[in-house]
């Protein structure tokens, strides 16, 4: 290993140790700035979506922050440890994408699409009004996300940026809000 690589690896180990022992935010910033572009590129290559690649950065670096105390300086390179976390997070995300497509889930419950054969056209405005009324019954944070995604047609990343919250929080609030709306629709229209 060249001197530059050894020096970089030593710095990475020091930063991880500082995060583990002191929750040092400046050291974490250095780690984030070093790893984020690499993780993002890896994520985009594997997941084929910029939003998912950014999620991979967030999930990986969140794990580095919370699990830094588990890294053993003597057992391996810091890059190997972080890239292993990244790879495992990526596999988890690929499994989730294959089994739970939130965009499909949302389209299934939102009855504004003319293709629903079960609802006579005359009842569509009534169902839409009922659903909008139910939307206002959601907790404020969930309602804010559902409205942003479905009524303002923002992407999850755009909404996360606008609300200044992590994209994972947007996804969680969206999932919870949609589950409540779906439950309402199933109870009223079954």
């Amino acid at each position: 290993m060249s001197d530059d690589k050894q020096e970089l690896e030593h710095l990475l180990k020091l930063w991880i140790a500082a995060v583990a022992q002191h929750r040092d935010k400046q050291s974490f910033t250095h780690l984030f700035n070093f790893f984020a572009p690499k993780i993002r590129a890896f994520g985009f290559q594997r997941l084929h979506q910029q939003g998912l690649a950014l999620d991979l950065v967030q999930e990986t670096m969140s794990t580095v922050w919370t699990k830094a105390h588990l890294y053993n300086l003597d057992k391996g390179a810091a890059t190997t440890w972080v890239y292993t976390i990244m790879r495992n997070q990526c596999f988890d995300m690929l499994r989730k994408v294959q089994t739970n497509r939130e965009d499909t889930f949302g389209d299934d419950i939102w009855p504004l699409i003319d293709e629903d054969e079960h609802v006579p056209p005359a009842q569509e405005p009534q169902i839409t009004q009922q659903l909008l009324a139910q939307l206002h019954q959601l907790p404020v944070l969930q309602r804010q996300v559902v409205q942003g995604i479905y009524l303002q047609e923002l992407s999850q990343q755009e909404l996360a940026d606008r609300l200044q919250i992590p994209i994972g929080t947007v996804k969680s609030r969206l999932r919870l809000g949609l589950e409540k709306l779906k439950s309402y629709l199933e109870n009223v229209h079954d």
Side-chain angles (χ1 to χ4, degrees):
M1 195 184 305
S2 72
D3 288 340
D4 289 342
K5 286 185 180 180
Q6 285 180 337
E7 187 176 325
L8 176 61
E9 188 59 39
H10 179 71
L11 271 176
L12 293 171
K13 286 182 176 185
L14 289 176
W15 291 333
I16 291 175
V19 169
Q21 296 166 5
H22 308 292
R23 289 291 188 222
D24 186 335
K25 291 179 182 177
Q26 185 175 7
S27 294
F28 183 75
T29 300
H30 292 306
L31 288 169
F32 191 93
N33 290 337
F34 177 79
F35 285 110
K38 295 164 181 55
I39 296 168
R40 184 176 178 192
F42 176 87
F44 186 71
Q45 184 181 31
R46 301 292 188 290
L47 302 166
H48 308 290
Q49 289 182 24
Q50 203 58 250
L52 292 176
L54 292 171
D55 287 351
L56 181 61
V57 172
Q58 177 187 347
E59 295 298 325
T60 301
M61 295 311 295
S62 293
T63 302
V64 168
W65 174 259
T66 58
K67 307 245 178 175
H69 65 282
L70 298 176
Y71 172 65
N72 186 335
L73 297 166
D74 301 324
K75 285 196 174 183
T79 51
T80 303
W81 183 70
V82 173
Y83 291 148
T84 300
I85 292 170
M86 172 192 68
R87 186 189 49 139
N88 291 339
Q89 291 290 342
C90 187
F91 287 147
D92 289 346
M93 291 175 73
L94 285 168
R95 277 188 224 108
K96 285 180 187 177
V97 166
Q98 290 173 352
T99 59
N100 183 20
R101 299 217 19 112
E102 289 178 321
D103 52 338
T104 306
F105 179 66
D107 290 344
D108 287 344
I109 69 145
W110 205 257
L112 298 175
I113 301 172
D114 301 69
E115 299 169 5
D116 192 351
E117 298 171 7
H118 298 70
V119 180
Q123 283 187 337
E124 282 183 21
Q126 178 185 3
I127 291 174
T128 300
Q129 288 302 323
Q130 291 172 343
L131 188 56
L132 288 173
Q134 189 62 29
L135 178 65
H136 291 290
Q137 299 301 314
L138 291 176
V140 174
L141 298 175
Q142 291 172 19
R143 180 175 66 235
Q144 190 178 42
V145 170
V146 172
Q147 286 175 326
I149 300 291
Y150 291 100
L151 300 180
Q152 298 171 6
E153 297 181 2
L154 298 171
S155 71
Q156 292 177 351
Q157 185 62 54
E158 290 170 333
L159 191 58
D161 292 344
R162 182 178 286 182
L163 298 175
Q164 298 179 336
I165 58 175
I167 194 166
T169 303
V170 169
K171 290 175 183 244
S172 296
R173 290 177 185 172
L174 180 62
R175 182 181 44 78
L176 291 170
L178 292 177
E179 285 174 359
K180 289 175 184 172
L181 291 173
K182 183 178 181 186
S183 174
Y184 167 77
L185 285 176
E186 287 173 347
N187 290 337
V188 171
H189 296 286
D190 275 349

